[in-house]
Amino acid sequence: TQRLILQYAAKTSLLPTDAEVAAELETAKKQPAIAQALASKSLTEESLRKDIHLQKTMLNLATINQSVSLEEVRAYYDRNPQQFGTLERWQLAIVRLSKPEQVAKVQAEIKKGTPFATIAFENSEDTASKAKGGDIGMIAASDSGLPAAIRTAVAKLKVGEITVPIVSAFGAAGVQATFFVRLLAKQDAQIEPFEKVKPVAERGALLEKVGGLAGAERKVLDFRKASKIVVSLPAYAEAYAKAAASKE
């Protein structure tokens, strides 16, 4: 399939230039996750270059005769910050309660200065976290799995602070419960500046505008039907011959 993509792009003059691939390669190498993969040798620069070449080829096929303005690229960047770095993350500990009398008891323990981990271990109904003092680990501040009421309350906390009682539904069944949440740690968002990732944002905005790579895939599928494809691997020769015979 990759060979067909590249042959079709060459035939239609839609292959990216070496300069375009080199420029995007340098941009990609500056992304933290890619830089780490290159450093650990789980990714090679040559394989990264080939991936970029193929991606840009597919982009050219999908977006021929299409363009986006600087304003559209900037808007895409602003709407998709997770694609250009890491979002704000919180490490949270929770106490989940279902009975009103438990809420008053926990409030009294918090006021008395009882360690939150002890309160969670002795009172929380969240079996997955109570053994760890209520700690549910790191979670993205925008994670939709965290009830909106909790996200709003935690956003106002400083590290170490505990929310007031929060009544919220949770789980697939939407059961109501009361939560106390403590912010254990916070990692600020680290988003690459727009100018640094502008080529990546432009590609994303273009793909969004044309509805993804479906158009390119249709073109390659049509090209496949009109192409002569020969399987030269000996192990597949018999299967290929049978398939050809069945078509005849």
Side-chain angles (χ1 to χ4, degrees), residues 102-129:
Q102 292 175 302
V103 176
K105 177 186 175 184
V106 167
Q107 282 183 301
E109 291 291 339
I110 291 173
K111 187 175 181 180
K112 190 168 64 174
T114 303
F116 193 84
T118 301
I119 296 173
F121 182 75
E122 295 178 351
N123 299 276
S124 182
E125 296 174 5
D126 187 79
T127 55
S129 66

Side-chain angles (χ1 to χ4, degrees), residues 5 68 82 88-89 97 101 103 119 126 128 132 148 159 226 240:
I5 290 169
V68 285
Q82 72 282 357
E88 182 176 318
R89 291 170 63 81
L97 309 168
E101 60 269 24
V103 176
I119 296 173
D126 187 79
K132 298 179 286 186
V159 173
Y240 181 71

Side-chain angles (χ1 to χ4, degrees), residues 69-89:
S69 66
L70 180 61
E71 290 74 19
E72 289 174 310
V73 176
R74 182 72 202 214
Y76 180 86
Y77 170 84
D78 291 338
R79 287 196 309 272
N80 300 278
Q82 72 282 357
Q83 294 186 19
F84 308 103
T86 55
L87 301 180
E88 182 176 318
R89 291 170 63 81

Side-chain angles (χ1 to χ4, degrees), residues 14 59-68 206 209-210 219:
L14 290 172
L59 179 68
N60 289 347
L61 293 178
T63 61
I64 185 171
N65 299 325
Q66 296 288 335
S67 63
V68 285
L206 265 171
K209 187 172 185 177
V210 300
K219 293 172 186 174

Side-chain angles (χ1 to χ4, degrees), residues 13 18 26 40 52 59 67 74-75 84 87 97-98 110 123 129 159 186 200 213 217-219 226 229:
S13 301
D18 290 343
E26 290 307 309
S40 65
I52 289 172
L59 179 68
S67 63
R74 182 72 202 214
F84 308 103
L87 301 180
L97 309 168
S98 61
I110 291 173
N123 299 276
S129 66
V159 173
K186 178 180 177 181
V200 180
L213 294 174
E217 290 166 354
R218 284 193 297 270
K219 293 172 186 174
I229 301 173

